[in-house]
Amino acid sequence: MSGLLHRFTLYLMREIFRASISYKIDWTKICFVGAILTVGGISLQMLILPSSLHTWFIYQPATVTLYESMKETMQLNETHKNSTERVQLIPTNSVVAHNASDQVIQLASVNQERDKTSKSRKSSKRRKHAKVKEKPIIVTPPPPRRPPTALERHVWSLKPVEALAYAKEEMNHAPTVIDDADLYAPLFLNISIFKRSYELMELILKVYIYRDGSRPIFHTPHLRGIYASEGWFMKLMEENRQFVTKDPEKAHLFYLAYSARQLQTALYVPNSHNMKPLSIYLRNHVNWLAGKYPFWNRTHGSDHFLVACHDWGPYTVNEHRELSQNTIKALCNADVSEGVFKLGKDVSLPETTIRTPRKPLRNVGGKRVSQRPILAFFAGNMHGRVRPILLRHWKDKDDDIRVYGPLPQRISRKMSYIQHMKSSKYCICPMGYEVNSPRIIESIYYECVPVIIADNFVLPFSEFLDWTAFAVVVAEKDIPKLKEILTAIPLRRYLAMQINVKMVQKHFLWNPKPLKYDLFHMVLHSIWFSRLNRFQIPGT
């Protein structure tokens, strides 16, 4: 019927057009007839529609959520293809229309939803970045402690004297170590003894720290400069949980936690050249501890120890005989010629330069052998008896041996002090006012073979480390023959020493959190080993 009406309309229009060409037309009547035909056509179309008019014009606009499943969409499309009737899909209060205009509405709704999601994501990212500082710190719980073995339970049940007797007996039966994943055998005089002693330290040792004494002399670690070793040991020892005990009755060693550097800063009168007030202060403190606690008098101080890196460290103990003679002293100024440092009892403490306490391992490392064109290097202040002799014989005398006083600015602008050490095969380490020198450990840090010139100096950890494997020791009288001594070393031996310097480096590092076999543990082990060696088993 719709087709018949359409053909009638076309026919009527053609007849009107022909008539308009031949005759004068009354256009008012024509427009009136056209309006009647238009209204009649629309009415006829409404009568033949498949649904009522209000469904098409009053229905709610379609909305599509992003969470509708693909399955529902595919079902909807399939229904559109196979049906001429209107399809209504209502999954979650959403309606999808089925003509072209409603499909446009559907796509627009999807795009709006995507835009909203994108904006919400961006805003959430901005909120996340804005709250970075407020983000709570997630603390990972420590792994559960393994249950102690039967051996550990037995050893921990022993009294301190019994535990030391057990350790001493164990040292006599140390198993032979040929190869070890954590230790490099060429560095050690006897790796088997060292490893067993270290294991026993980890198993047994407990240290009691006296909390007495006022700051800054006591319990104030000095962490910067060439005397930083005493401060770093104090800091790490007081933070330690493995070796420190709060029960003095369980302790094998007692730590006098004072700083020789802070003692000098607090009490020394500048230019007085009088160190006696320092030693009197320390003497009075030890006497006060002996009166307050029973532990000093039990052994006359032989199970007590102190750690001092300042040059004046040995002289701060002179006013107290038992402190000087019995106590284990870990000293940077390990000079056997003065009678204060006792070989076999006292410990040589490495003197380490720490420039940045927050990054104690900064600049550690060196260049390859092929990038070390300088044979030997030294720069430093002219104090003590050895350095002026070195300067007199070698300054500006040989391009291979570069010896300076303080490094001149014209030189340091091109290559810094550290860069010189990293570019040299050998680094000359002469003593200053005292036998110790921070250059020895600096050389190890920068992987330069140290050349040590200091008679009567007890090298750190020399009870276990074989210094000839990674260093050259030159007598003071042989300074004029320095180049001859160094050039006589075969290339193969130098390469082996340079490798050994890299391998021994781990034993001289102050780690912010101590690691096995690092400098903190090596110092503590030397103190433990001294205590063990001098301990007499009761009844023997």
Side-chain angles (χ1 to χ4, degrees):
M1 190 172 182
S2 175
L4 182 62
L5 180 62
H6 180 67
R7 286 195 296 274
F8 174 75
T9 303
L10 290 177
Y11 172 77
L12 183 61
M13 293 294 291
R14 282 198 299 269
E15 291 299 320
I16 293 171
F17 181 74
R18 289 195 191 101
S20 65
I21 296 174
S22 303
Y23 305 99
K24 188 176 180 180
I25 303 300
D26 188 352
W27 290 103
T28 304
K29 295 179 180 179
I30 293 298
C31 290
F32 178 75
V33 173
I36 293 173
L37 292 174
T38 302
V39 172
I42 293 173
S43 301
L44 186 62
Q45 288 285 347
M46 291 172 60
L47 292 173
I48 63 175
L49 288 174
S51 60
S52 59
L53 183 65
H54 78 276
T55 306
W56 290 82
F57 289 93
I58 307 176
Y59 220 84
Q60 295 294 327
T63 57
V64 179
T65 65
L66 288 177
Y67 300 103
E68 290 188 33
S69 65
M70 289 295 294
K71 181 177 180 181
E72 293 170 335
T73 306
M74 292 173 66
Q75 289 175 349
L76 177 61
N77 293 337
E78 190 68 21
T79 307
H80 274 298
K81 290 181 182 178
N82 300 331
S83 175
T84 57
E85 295 183 355
R86 182 180 62 85
V87 178
Q88 185 174 351
L89 180 66
I90 312 176
T92 54
N93 298 327
S94 62
V95 178
V96 180
H98 23 213
N99 56 11
S101 62
D102 283 341
Q103 290 175 1
V104 172
I105 293 173
Q106 175 183 350
L107 291 173
S109 300
V110 172
N111 290 335
Q112 289 176 1
E113 196 70 22
R114 287 176 179 170
D115 290 341
K116 289 180 182 178
T117 305
S118 176
K119 289 179 181 178
S120 66
R121 286 176 180 171
K122 289 180 181 178
S123 63
S124 66
K125 285 183 179 179
R126 285 194 293 268
R127 288 195 302 270
K128 191 178 293 183
H129 285 302
K131 294 182 179 181
V132 167
K133 294 183 179 180
E134 301 176 8
K135 187 176 181 180
I137 299 174
I138 300 175
V139 180
T140 304
R145 293 183 62 182
R146 64 170 179 81
T149 64
L151 175 62
E152 289 173 335
R153 287 196 299 269
H154 168 68
V155 172
W156 295 344
S157 67
L158 299 176
K159 294 180 180 179
V161 173
E162 296 171 338
L164 289 172
Y166 167 81
K168 188 123 183 178
E169 185 65 28
E170 283 292 306
M171 289 297 298
N172 296 329
H173 304 91
T176 302
V177 176
I178 299 175
D179 190 20
D180 187 273
D182 297 323
L183 299 173
Y184 190 55
L187 302 175
F188 294 88
L189 298 171
N190 190 324
I191 190 173
S192 301
I193 296 295
F194 172 79
K195 183 173 175 61
R196 187 56 181 151
S197 175
Y198 191 97
E199 290 172 344
L200 291 168
M201 176 188 76
E202 290 186 315
L203 175 65
I204 295 172
L205 179 60
K206 294 298 177 185
V207 177
Y208 179 78
I209 302 174
Y210 286 109
R211 297 296 174 183
D212 308 87
S214 58
R215 294 174 181 270
I217 296 172
F218 300 93
H219 309 289
T220 307
H222 188 83
L223 302 177
R224 187 191 302 272
I226 63 174
Y227 304 124
S229 286
E230 64 183 28
W232 274 91
F233 182 87
M234 181 191 299
K235 173 184 181 295
L236 299 177
M237 188 77 251
E238 294 196 327
E239 293 174 354
N240 190 272
R241 295 184 179 182
Q242 178 183 0
F243 299 109
V244 174
T245 179
K246 295 182 180 180
D247 185 357
E249 296 295 341
K250 296 180 179 179
H252 308 93
L253 284 166
F254 294 79
Y255 176 34
L256 299 169
Y258 86 99
S259 166
R261 170 64 172 165
Q262 300 287 17
L263 185 65
Q264 176 259 338
T265 302
L267 298 180
Y268 178 68
V269 178
N271 301 318
S272 68
H273 305 288
N274 183 12
M275 289 178 279
K276 193 169 183 178
L278 283 65
S279 57
I280 291 175
Y281 184 91
L282 190 58
R283 178 199 67 190
N284 293 340
H285 177 72
V286 172
N287 287 337
W288 184 81
L289 290 178
K292 181 179 179 181
Y293 303 98
F295 313 116
W296 180 277
N297 294 326
R298 286 190 316 197
T299 63
H300 301 285
S302 63
D303 55 359
H304 288 57
F305 72 94
L306 59 89
V307 178
C309 192
H310 194 276
D311 287 352
W312 297 352
Y315 314 122
T316 60
V317 302
N318 284 341
E319 291 296 317
H320 196 292
R321 188 184 64 83
E322 289 182 342
L323 182 64
S324 175
Q325 299 298 318
N326 300 340
T327 301
I328 302 170
K329 301 182 292 295
L331 303 172
C332 287
N333 191 4
D335 188 345
V336 293
S337 67
E338 296 181 339
V340 179
F341 186 92
K342 304 295 182 181
L343 190 63
K345 175 181 72 71
D346 295 331
V347 172
S348 179
L349 178 67
E351 185 171 1
T352 56
T353 301
I354 302 296
R355 294 177 173 83
T356 309
R358 290 188 177 183
K359 297 179 180 179
L361 306 183
R362 189 176 182 180
N363 294 322
V364 171
K367 297 180 179 180
R368 298 192 301 269
V369 173
S370 60
Q371 296 177 322
R372 294 178 179 268
I374 305 171
L375 176 63
F377 164 74
F378 168 78
N381 293 323
M382 289 295 106
H383 52 250
R385 65 177 185 265
V386 173
R387 297 182 186 184
I389 299 173
L390 179 68
L391 201 69
R392 186 170 68 248
H393 282 91
W394 293 108
K395 183 181 179 182
D396 299 328
K397 300 292 176 60
D398 196 304
D399 290 338
D400 290 333
I401 299 183
R402 302 187 186 182
V403 173
Y404 308 93
L407 195 63
Q409 286 189 358
R410 60 182 175 82
I411 303 294
S412 62
R413 279 197 295 264
K414 298 178 182 178
M415 185 184 294
S416 68
Y417 174 82
I418 292 176
Q419 289 171 336
H420 269 87
M421 297 192 83
K422 292 188 176 188
S423 301
S424 301
K425 293 181 175 66
Y426 298 94
C427 290
I428 304 171
C429 308
M431 63 177 289
Y433 286 125
E434 306 294 346
V435 292
N436 53 317
S437 170
R439 286 167 182 79
I440 298 173
I441 310 305
E442 284 180 337
S443 300
I444 294 173
Y445 284 177
Y446 307 140
E447 298 170 9
C448 176
V449 177
V451 179
I452 303 165
I453 308 175
D455 295 350
N456 304 312
F457 180 39
V458 179
L459 293 169
F461 316 133
S462 54
E463 66 272 24
F464 285 111
L465 291 181
D466 181 7
W467 279 81
T468 62
F470 55 90
V472 179
V473 179
V474 175
E476 296 173 20
K477 64 181 179 61
D478 291 332
I479 290 176
K481 299 187 290 184
L482 185 58
K483 185 174 182 179
E484 180 183 345
I485 293 170
L486 297 180
T487 54
I489 297 173
L491 178 60
R492 180 177 294 181
R493 185 186 167 202
Y494 166 75
L495 293 174
M497 284 195 294
Q498 212 269 335
I499 291 173
N500 291 344
V501 167
K502 294 181 182 180
M503 301 304 292
V504 82
Q505 193 179 80
K506 64 183 284 186
H507 301 302
F508 290 93
L509 298 177
W510 290 116
N511 293 294
K513 292 185 178 180
L515 301 175
K516 191 170 185 175
Y517 299 123
D518 70 355
L519 187 48
F520 168 74
H521 287 99
M522 292 294 286
V523 173
L524 187 61
H525 172 263
S526 289
I527 296 169
W528 152 260
F529 190 72
S530 172
R531 172 70 175 128
L532 201 59
N533 271 350
R534 296 188 306 121
F535 174 75
Q536 298 294 325
I537 299 177
T540 60

